Amino acid sequence: EALLLNILPQAIVNRLKARQEDPRGGRVAEALPDVTVLFADAVGFTQQAEKTSPEELVHSLDELFTRFDALAGRLGLEKIKTVGDAYMAVAGAPHPRSDHAQAAAEMALAILEAVQGLRWPSGDAVRFRIGVASGPAVAGVIGQQKFAYDLWGDTVNLASRLETHGEPGRILVSEGVVERLEDRYVFGPRRVVDLKGKGPTPARFLTGRASASPS
């Protein structure tokens, strides 16, 4: 039970148990009408792997992602997975929440604050690019072995590609995020980024809070 709760949200664990008791229950899958997805990626991690022993590198990344896990827990986001040196989380799943965009914005800002002044074993500064997007998604559990709760859809792809096209130490967000938060946060000028599979897409950098926001 404890191991499952370290892998999956409680609500998903309950549904998997129900499915095991009644195979007719079907797959664990749901449409999420409105969530906010966050991707954070370590800048220059491949180069760090060339400069650092495997033990030191894994230890450093583990310490970083443990910090992010604590932030996600405090701010109410669900960690979805890590892929190499990238960290993915969602606000608004599996439990809907009206303030999902704000929760993700706070997480993004907190990540940048958490890595300030940190260095890799090589001595190079730790820097992250972050992409955030709001909108619908599909969530579910795939497979019978080594399964995981995951998200799919355009919102997920958009957040990932915004991260890729962002800048070190900055948070690039979709217009959907801006629309939900423009009265509470400060954003840079509108810019257009050419995203793979989407073409020219408007986006803006999130630069801070307009006033004191709860964290």
Side-chain angles (χ1 to χ4, degrees):
E1 179 79 10
L3 179 60
L4 277 174
L5 291 175
N6 272 328
I7 299 171
L8 300 167
Q10 176 73 68
I12 303 304
V13 170
N14 294 342
R15 291 174 65 180
L16 283 172
K17 285 181 177 179
R19 186 178 72 173
Q20 187 177 35
E21 294 170 2
D22 181 5
R24 296 172 300 174
R27 298 189 180 280
V28 177
E30 59 185 336
L32 305 168
D34 205 21
V35 299
T36 299
V37 179
L38 175 151
F39 277 90
D41 188 69
V43 177
F45 186 78
T46 301
Q47 287 73 26
Q48 295 305 317
E50 297 170 354
K51 300 178 181 180
T52 311
S53 71
E55 293 81 7
E56 287 180 311
L57 190 69
V58 171
H59 177 71
S60 296
L61 196 60
D62 179 57
E63 284 195 331
L64 282 170
F65 285 171
T66 297
R67 291 187 184 209
F68 296 178
D69 287 348
L71 291 174
R74 178 166 64 85
L75 295 167
L77 279 80
E78 186 68 39
K79 173 186 177 181
I80 299 300
K81 59 187 172 183
T82 60
V83 181
D85 57 320
Y87 187 99
M88 176 187 175
V90 62
H95 300 292
R97 56 184 295 183
S98 59
D99 64 342
H100 55 86
Q102 180 174 1
E106 287 296 323
M107 174 86 178
L109 291 168
I111 286 174
L112 294 187
E113 292 165 3
V115 302
Q116 269 190 341
L118 296 183
R119 294 190 175 277
W120 297 109
S122 68
D124 296 336
V126 172
R127 297 185 299 169
F128 272 79
R129 284 189 313 265
I130 301 177
V132 183
S134 294
V138 173
V141 177
I142 298 295
Q144 296 296 322
Q145 297 180 356
K146 296 184 179 179
F147 49 76
Y149 180 69
D150 208 346
L151 259 68
W152 302 271
D154 187 62
T155 302
V156 177
N157 294 337
L158 178 55
S160 176
R161 287 165 187 163
L162 287 172
E163 175 273 306
T164 301
H165 285 74
E167 297 177 5
R170 305 192 75 182
I171 305 160
L172 190 61
V173 306
S174 69
E175 282 292 292
V177 173
V178 177
E179 290 167 4
R180 291 165 175 80
L181 298 178
E182 58 187 343
D183 58 335
R184 283 168 285 175
Y185 291 82
V186 179
F187 299 91
R190 185 176 181 272
R191 55 194 289 146
V192 176
V193 289
D194 191 9
L195 302 184
K196 180 181 178 182
K198 291 186 69 67
T201 303
R204 296 169 71 178
F205 281 112
L206 166 64
T207 59
R209 305 170 183 90
S211 59
S213 295
S215 60

